[in-house]
């Protein structure tokens, strides 16, 4: 069972180290858990990276499970229409998820 | 925030003026019958980019005007309205108005709003009228709905209510928004989260993100934004409220905002891609998306389906640029789209260059100049050394000298710009002037890539303008006169530039009537400039037109013919170290040839010695050097010493007296006379002897000491001593003053 990926503030400020960390996670195999309960700050750069990450994971047929997701992250993801791209749990914005 | 932004103002102005030049050139080249879509698009982009920048800096008047302009241009580029001659003229006027506005804003002066308001009103009327009739392949409901709505919305006024009622909207109207971030968006501190959140406050917002352009995680440049969004806002708000949400990001994105008729098929609101704001690499093909939100997942397939579905409807409303083959849906649009942005980028003038301030370049040139002097001194010392090591040293110095020369040439070239910068003003000028004078003129320009020094370039503009005006006004005849003379009714004015042996030759040629020598002679005689019985060569007759106050024009137009022109032209050319010559044939045409040095920082000079001092006389000023016989000198009261030269009496200027130096010889026949000219007058400079001819680097008098009449600058010779470079015009003035006092 792999260790959950813990996110704190995925923003443009820490984007480079976040990218490194995510890239390392891509090298692993098996399902991945992401813990985003502690996320207080997030921006478009962060969400973009995360969305790419989730997409690449799923392309390798790996599953993503969000074991916790802060309000901040939920709101930001919905604002950008990336809620489903991130496979976030919870109520999606109306009309944006017809999956 | 204000403090931060002000530093970007000058960049914005520079780029905007340049962009306006581009817009003007594109308009002039526009074939009204069959306008090139790429040209129209590039014109749109200019308006769009200026609008964005103006909005960002809070230049409300500029933003408002360019917004109206952009609306009209959008109609034109999408084919909903046709380009007419009237529209083309109004657009050219807009360029003038925008230039004036930007200049006023730049100088923090009041803008002449009357002109702006008048033209803006005209443009709005055109859009409003055009929306009704023009060839509109688009779904008419949408076109009719959006056009008047657009027309009624100058950014300043909130006409949302009016537009809504025009639509007969019962339900809340919807806004279909396409938002594509340009790479710098995030770096510039703009975050779509904030933008979309503020939009969401206006009504019900649906956001669909497109991740197509997002690379694989490892390849992502994490500070760039690759996402594009399609948004739909259900709201009764006014257009400018929607605009306001995007205000800060306007420059960093491609944005299209369209009002959707309540209940209209959202598929027909398919959007044409917005113009490129800056000319960056366009990563993704423009996405044609139906306003009805569909899930855009990371996997590409659903997106393609979404693209394919509205393609037929979309194609009809799309611009030529994004023209997907109307019939084909599916993958076909993508490759075509991918090509177009690349073409747009290329047409947008993508080349690798950076802006450098002129001070930095001048500093660089100065330093290189110092290096040249130091190297010359070292070479001088090297000559005095003995021994085998000295030999190697000298050979090393030779190598250094070669390197220096290369370095100097490279650095001089940095300041060189193609003459097209100056030529570019002529198409517009010729067109306006020809129209005003009722003449038909074809302007030909060749050699526009010929490069010359920036300062020379700037100063040659006015003389060229005058010469071209002359050609059109006096040279080229009226169309009927030309036809009677067996010529085509359209006269040709040809501007040409080329490098000729270390100089630039700029030529203005016309196939007009040529200079009428007999009329010139008659005029000169009537003015007493030439004796009644004097016989003049053709050359000498041509020279007459350079005399101040001379003009043979029957009546002076306000264009030229005031008679102050040609002498000023010649003086300006001379000041640049160049000369101007005329060749003309009656009935056939004239040629004015201006020869200019490649650069102003170096002068070819003749060194002369006066006592223990060395002076440099610019070679372009020297006519001849000679030794006088004692008997050839006369003394005239009121004019001092004179001598006879080619049928004229020229005054002698004793440099040793002028500069207060102890000369080697005071008797005139023991020294040399250098016949030099400045300002059209000739004098004989009395010097001890001629030293060599050499290229010298000019060092500024003003910068190092102060302006001195008669001295153009100074240079440091190989032996480390300072030599003053003479300025003949100034010297003649000084000498004349002293002579009168004597």
């Amino acid at each position: 069972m792999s260790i959950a990926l813990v996110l704190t503030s995925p923003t443009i400020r820490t984007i480079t180290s976040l990218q490194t960390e995510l890239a390392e996670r891509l090298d692993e195999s098996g399902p991945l858990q992401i813990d985003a309960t502690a996320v207080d700050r997030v921006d478009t750069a962060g969400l973009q990276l995360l969305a790419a990450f989730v997409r690449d994971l799923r392309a390798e047929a790996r599953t993503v499970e969000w074991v916790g997701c802060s309000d901040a992250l939920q709101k930001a993801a919905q604002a950008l229409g990336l809620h489903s791209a991130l496979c976030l749990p919870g109520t999606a914005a109306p009309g944006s998820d017809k999956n | 925030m204000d403090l931060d932004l002000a530093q970007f103002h000058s960049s914005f102005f520079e780029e905007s003026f340049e962009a306006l030049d581009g817009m003007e050139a594109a308009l002039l080249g526009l074939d009204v019958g069959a306008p090139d879509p790429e040209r129209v698009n590039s014109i749109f982009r200019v308006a769009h980019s200026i609008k964005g920048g103006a909005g960002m800096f809070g230049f409300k008047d500029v933003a408002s005007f360019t917004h109206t302009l952009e609306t009209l241009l959008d109609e034109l580029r999408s084919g909903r309205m046709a380009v007419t001659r009237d529209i083309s003229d109004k657009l050219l006027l807009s360029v003038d108005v925008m230039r004036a506005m930007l200049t006023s804003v730049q100088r923090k002066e009041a803008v002449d709003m009357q002109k702006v308001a008048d033209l803006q009103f005209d443009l709005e009327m055109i859009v409003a009228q055009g929306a009704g009739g023009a060839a509109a392949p688009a779904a008419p409901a949408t076109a009719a709905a959006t056009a008047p709505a657009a027309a009624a919305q100058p950014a300043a006024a909130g006409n949302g209510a009016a537009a809504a009622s025009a639509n007969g909207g019962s339900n809340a109207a919807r806004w279909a928004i396409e938002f594509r971030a340009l790479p710098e968006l995030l770096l510039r501190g703009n975050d779509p989260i904030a933008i979309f959140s503020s939009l969401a406050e206006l009504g019900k917002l649906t956001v669909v993100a497109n991740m197509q352009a997002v690379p694989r995680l490892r390849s992502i440049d994490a500070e760039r934004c690759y996402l594009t969004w399609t948004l739909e806002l259900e709201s009764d708000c006014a257009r400018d409220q929607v605009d306001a949400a995007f205000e800060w990001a306007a420059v960093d994105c491609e944005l299209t905002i369209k009002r959707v008729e309540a209940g209209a098929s959202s598929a027909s609101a398919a959007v044409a891609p917005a113009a490129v704001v800056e000319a960056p690499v366009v990563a993704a093909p423009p996405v044609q998306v139906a306003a009805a939100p569909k899930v855009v997942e990371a996997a590409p397939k659903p997106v393609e389906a979404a693209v394919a579905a509205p393609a037929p409807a979309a194609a009809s409303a799309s611009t030529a640029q994004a023209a997907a083959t109307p019939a084909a849906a599916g993958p076909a649009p993508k490759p075509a789209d991918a090509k177009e942005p690349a073409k747009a980028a290329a047409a947008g003038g993508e080349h690798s260059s950076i802006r450098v301030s002129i001070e930095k370049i001048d500093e660089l040139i100065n330093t290189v100049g110092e290096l040249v002097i130091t190297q010359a001194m070292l070479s001088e010392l090297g000559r005095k050394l003995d021994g085998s090591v000295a030999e190697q040293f000298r050979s090393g110095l030779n190598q250094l000298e070669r390197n220096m020369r290369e370095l100097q040439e490279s650095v001089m070239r940095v300041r060189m710009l193609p003459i097209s910068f100056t030529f570019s003003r002529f198409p517009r000028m010729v067109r306006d002037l020809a129209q005003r004078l009722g003449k038909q003129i074809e302007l030909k320009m060749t050699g526009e890539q010929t490069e010359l020094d920036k300062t020379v370039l700037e100063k040659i503009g006015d003389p060229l303008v005058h010469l071209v005006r002359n050609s059109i006004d006096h040279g080229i005849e009226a169309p009927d006169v030309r036809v009677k003379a067996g010529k085509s009714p359209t006269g040709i004015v040809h501007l040409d530039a080329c490098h000729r042996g270390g100089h630039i030759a700029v030529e203005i040629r016309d196939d007009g009537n040529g200079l009428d020598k007999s009329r010139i002679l008659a005029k000169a005689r009537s003015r007493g400039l030439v004796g009644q019985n004097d016989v003049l060569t053709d050359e000498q007759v041509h020279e007459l037109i350079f005399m101040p106050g001379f003009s043979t024009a029957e009546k002076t137009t306000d264009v030229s013919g005031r008679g102050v022109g040609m002498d000023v032209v010649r003086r300006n050319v001379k000041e640049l170290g160049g000369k101007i010559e005329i060749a003309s044939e009656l009935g056939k045409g004239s040629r004015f040839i201006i020869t200019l040095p490649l650069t102003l920082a170096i002068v070819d000079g003749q060194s002369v010695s006066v006592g223990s001092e060395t002076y440099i006389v610019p070679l372009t000023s020297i006519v001849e050097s000679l030794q006088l016989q004692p008997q050839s000198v006369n003394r005239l009261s009121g004019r001092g010493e004179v001598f006879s030269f080619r049928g004229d009496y020229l005054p002698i200027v004793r440099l040793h007296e002028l500069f207060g130096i102890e000369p080697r010889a005071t008797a005139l026949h023991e020294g040399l006379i250098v016949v030099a000219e400045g300002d059209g007058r000739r004098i004989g400079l009395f010097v001890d002897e001629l030293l060599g001819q050499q290229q010298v680097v000019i060092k500024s008098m003003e910068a190092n000491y102060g302006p001195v009449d008669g001295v153009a600058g100074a240079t440091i010779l190989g032996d480390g001593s300072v030599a003053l470079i003479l300025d003949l015009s100034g010297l003649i003035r000084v000498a004349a003053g002293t002579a009168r006092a004597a």
Side-chain angles (χ1 to χ4, degrees):
Chain A
M1 193 71 166
S2 56
I3 309 165
L5 168 67
V6 177
L7 299 173
T8 47
S9 38
T11 63
I12 200 166
R13 291 191 177 186
T14 54
I15 207 76
T16 323
S17 55
L18 179 62
Q19 190 174 17
T20 313
E21 190 180 354
L22 295 179
E24 282 169 10
R25 292 295 187 150
L26 273 180
D27 285 337
E28 299 167 350
S29 55
L32 181 67
Q33 294 177 323
I34 308 181
D35 182 350
T37 22
V39 173
D40 53 349
R41 258 198 296 234
V42 62
D43 64 8
T44 301
L47 283 178
Q48 176 179 253
L49 205 65
L50 287 171
F53 177 59
V54 171
R55 173 199 62 193
D56 288 356
L57 277 176
R58 294 178 67 198
E60 288 172 21
R62 291 173 64 188
T63 56
V64 173
E65 189 193 336
W66 293 84
V67 294
C69 184
S70 71
D71 265 352
L73 185 61
Q74 286 273 16
K75 281 199 182 133
Q78 285 194 359
L80 290 187
L82 288 172
H83 196 274
S84 62
L86 288 165
C87 298
L88 284 174
T91 332
S96 72
D97 192 333
K98 290 199 184 144
N99 212 2
Chain B
M1 237 319 173
D2 280 342
L3 222 51
D4 251 357
L5 285 182
Q7 63 183 299
F8 299 116
H9 284 184
S10 71
S11 248
F12 165 69
F13 288 120
E14 256 186 65
E15 287 168 12
S16 296
F17 285 123
E18 250 187 55
L20 282 173
D21 287 344
M23 176 169 165
E24 188 180 52
L27 280 168
L28 288 170
L30 204 59
D31 180 356
V32 170
D36 173 14
E38 187 40 50
R39 241 186 249 266
V40 181
N41 230 309
S42 71
I43 297 170
F44 173 90
R45 287 197 287 272
V46 171
H48 180 77
S49 112
I50 296 182
K51 183 193 84 164
M56 180 161 88
F57 293 119
F59 300 140
K60 290 209 176 345
D61 296 327
V62 180
S64 165
F65 181 80
T66 42
H67 179 84
T68 305
L69 189 60
E70 187 193 54
T71 309
L72 170 59
L73 288 164
D74 198 28
E75 297 295 302
L76 293 173
R77 75 177 182 143
S78 65
R80 286 192 288 273
M81 280 180 63
V83 180
T84 65
R85 180 78 190 200
D86 178 53
I87 289 182
S88 162
D89 285 343
K90 288 269 178 346
L91 289 174
L92 276 171
L93 258 177
S94 301
V95 171
D96 291 337
V97 163
M98 277 201 287
R99 276 194 186 128
M101 278 182 96
L102 286 171
T103 309
S104 297
V105 175
Q106 188 181 35
R107 291 185 189 159
K108 301 197 172 63
E109 290 167 357
V111 178
D112 176 6
M113 282 313 293
Q114 189 54 51
K115 266 207 181 133
V116 176
D118 287 344
L119 185 58
Q120 192 165 354
F121 181 74
D122 286 345
L123 294 175
E124 285 166 10
M125 286 304 299
I126 292 176
V127 175
Q129 285 159 0
T142 315
T146 49
Q153 285 167 32
N159 283 347
S165 54
N167 291 335
S170 38
N171 309 324
R174 285 182 293 175
W175 297 94
I177 303 167
E178 280 282 303
F179 179 88
R180 182 201 307 174
L182 290 175
E184 290 73 41
L185 179 80
L186 302 177
L187 283 169
R188 294 235 251 238
N190 290 303
D191 199 310
I193 295 176
I195 298 173
F196 298 167
S197 301
S198 68
L199 264 185
E201 286 169 16
L202 295 173
K204 189 169 144 217
L205 180 71
T206 327
V207 181
V208 174
N210 182 335
M211 282 185 62
Q212 252 189 312
V214 181
R216 295 182 60 91
L217 182 89
R218 287 191 182 84
S219 316
I220 290 179
D221 174 357
E223 287 171 338
R224 267 186 61 169
C225 185
Y226 300 86
L227 293 162
T228 69
W229 287 273
T230 308
L231 303 103
E232 195 174 271
L233 176 67
E234 264 180 54
S235 168
D236 272 331
C237 67
R239 165 70 184 251
D240 59 319
Q241 287 174 282
V242 179
D243 281 340
F246 292 98
E247 206 175 319
W248 290 110
V251 176
D252 290 316
C253 68
E254 290 181 12
L255 186 61
T256 321
I257 303 175
K258 288 234 145 68
R259 199 185 183 94
V260 178
E261 183 66 16
S265 153
S266 40
S268 66
V271 154
V276 178
V277 174
E278 295 169 62
V281 175
V282 178
V287 177
Q288 299 189 354
V289 181
K294 281 193 146 74
V295 173
V296 181
E297 298 207 342
K301 265 183 108 194
V303 176
E304 238 173 271
V307 173
S316 56
S318 67
T319 68
Q321 188 193 22
T325 355
K334 281 234 197 97
D337 289 343
K339 262 189 270 139
E340 299 291 3
K343 200 177 82 171
E350 275 239 58
H351 44 255
S352 152
S353 65
I354 57 170
R355 287 185 187 281
V356 183
S357 81
I358 199 89
E359 285 93 22
K360 284 190 190 165
I361 298 194
D362 283 342
E363 224 179 275
L364 188 62
I365 291 184
N366 207 31
T367 310
V368 170
E370 297 281 345
L371 271 175
V372 167
I373 292 169
T374 308
Q375 171 260 309
M377 289 209 280
L378 284 175
S379 294
E380 181 85 15
L381 280 173
R383 270 195 283 277
K384 299 188 185 143
L385 290 176
D386 285 326
S388 62
V389 178
E391 201 48 55
Q392 290 173 328
F393 187 65
R394 271 192 289 273
S395 135
L397 281 178
N398 281 341
Q399 180 70 34
L400 181 63
E401 196 180 316
R402 276 194 292 277
N403 291 341
M404 281 310 309
R405 198 163 318 172
E406 260 185 56
L407 177 62
Q408 195 174 39
E409 281 173 23
S410 298
V411 163
M412 292 309 173
R413 271 202 295 275
V414 170
R415 271 181 60 106
M416 292 180 63
L417 293 169
I419 202 171
S420 57
F421 279 94
T422 296
F423 278 9
S424 61
R425 69 172 92 171
F426 286 103
R428 176 76 189 271
M429 188 194 108
V430 168
R431 176 189 138 122
D432 289 347
L433 197 50
Q435 246 176 26
R436 202 163 10 141
L437 296 172
K439 299 196 179 163
Q440 287 167 19
I441 311 276
E442 183 192 324
L443 176 67
K444 281 199 180 120
M445 302 198 296
T446 50
E448 287 133 292
Q449 290 316 304
T450 309
E451 290 193 342
L452 59 169
D453 181 271
K454 184 181 198 306
T455 311
V456 178
L457 184 78
E458 283 162 5
K459 296 193 178 169
I460 202 60
D462 284 349
L464 286 181
V465 164
H466 191 85
L467 291 172
V468 171
R469 279 184 157 157
N470 263 354
S471 278
I472 298 179
D473 202 4
H474 302 310
I476 307 275
E477 316 91 320
D480 52 334
V481 175
R482 286 181 64 91
V483 169
K484 266 195 229 138
K487 295 182 183 175
S488 128
T490 306
I492 298 179
V493 173
H494 187 161
L495 273 172
D496 177 51
C498 68
H499 284 292
R500 227 178 260 168
H503 287 93
I504 305 251
V506 183
E507 203 177 285
I508 298 116
R509 232 180 290 163
D510 68 65
D511 66 347
N513 201 36
L515 292 177
D516 190 337
K517 284 185 271 286
S518 48
R519 275 178 64 195
I520 296 176
L521 209 48
K523 188 93 181 204
R525 286 197 175 118
S526 75
R527 294 247 176 112
L529 297 166
V530 171
Q532 289 299 325
N533 297 318
D534 286 355
V535 170
L536 270 64
T537 64
D538 285 356
E539 245 182 56
Q540 290 172 314
V541 175
H542 290 157
E543 281 295 307
L544 288 172
I545 69 172
F546 289 114
M547 311 227 67
F550 193 95
S551 168
T552 59
E554 299 272 309
K555 54 183 191 327
T556 62
T557 61
D558 73 307
V559 170
S560 47
R562 254 180 261 116
V564 297
M566 290 306 279
D567 64 325
V568 174
V569 168
R570 170 169 265 176
R571 187 161 350 120
N572 286 352
V573 170
K574 272 247 142 120
E575 271 169 20
L576 291 172
K579 62 181 174 164
I580 176 168
E581 290 159 298
I582 309 177
S584 170
E585 211 183 312
L586 193 59
K588 293 251 172 73
S590 313
R591 284 169 60 207
F592 290 84
I593 305 137
I594 300 179
T595 318
L596 297 164
L598 282 176
T599 171
L600 293 180
I602 297 185
V603 77
D604 286 318
Q606 169 73 54
S607 328
V608 299
S609 74
V610 180
S612 57
E613 293 294 325
T614 310
Y615 293 92
I616 310 280
V617 186
L619 280 182
T620 48
S621 308
I622 297 182
V623 179
E624 205 180 293
S625 306
L626 47 96
Q627 198 164 25
L628 278 184
Q629 301 301 312
Q631 55 270 34
S632 351
V633 182
N634 289 325
R635 198 165 202 97
L636 295 185
S637 67
R639 282 185 74 185
E641 296 169 302
V642 298
F643 70 105
S644 166
F645 181 75
R646 297 189 193 167
D648 239 340
Y649 280 106
L650 304 184
I652 294 175
V653 174
R654 288 174 177 265
L655 285 179
H656 65 90
E657 269 178 21
L658 207 57
F659 291 120
I661 306 166
E662 196 58 48
R664 200 179 41 107
T666 42
L668 286 173
H669 62 273
E670 282 174 15
L672 284 174
I673 298 286
V674 176
V675 181
E677 65 183 356
D679 253 0
R681 287 183 288 181
R682 287 179 176 178
I683 54 172
L685 297 169
F686 177 58
V687 302
D688 284 335
E689 60 182 304
L690 297 182
L691 307 171
Q693 277 184 10
Q694 70 222 93
Q695 257 192 1
V696 295
V697 175
I698 306 181
K699 306 221 66 102
S700 158
M701 281 307 287
E702 284 97 354
N704 292 300
Y705 174 73
V708 178
D709 257 342
V711 177
T715 187
I716 302 183
L717 302 172
D719 64 357
S721 62
V722 175
L724 294 182
I725 303 167
L726 300 182
D727 160 44
L728 265 302
S729 324
L731 202 64
I732 291 174
R733 275 195 300 273
V734 172
T738 347
R740 272 195 292 275

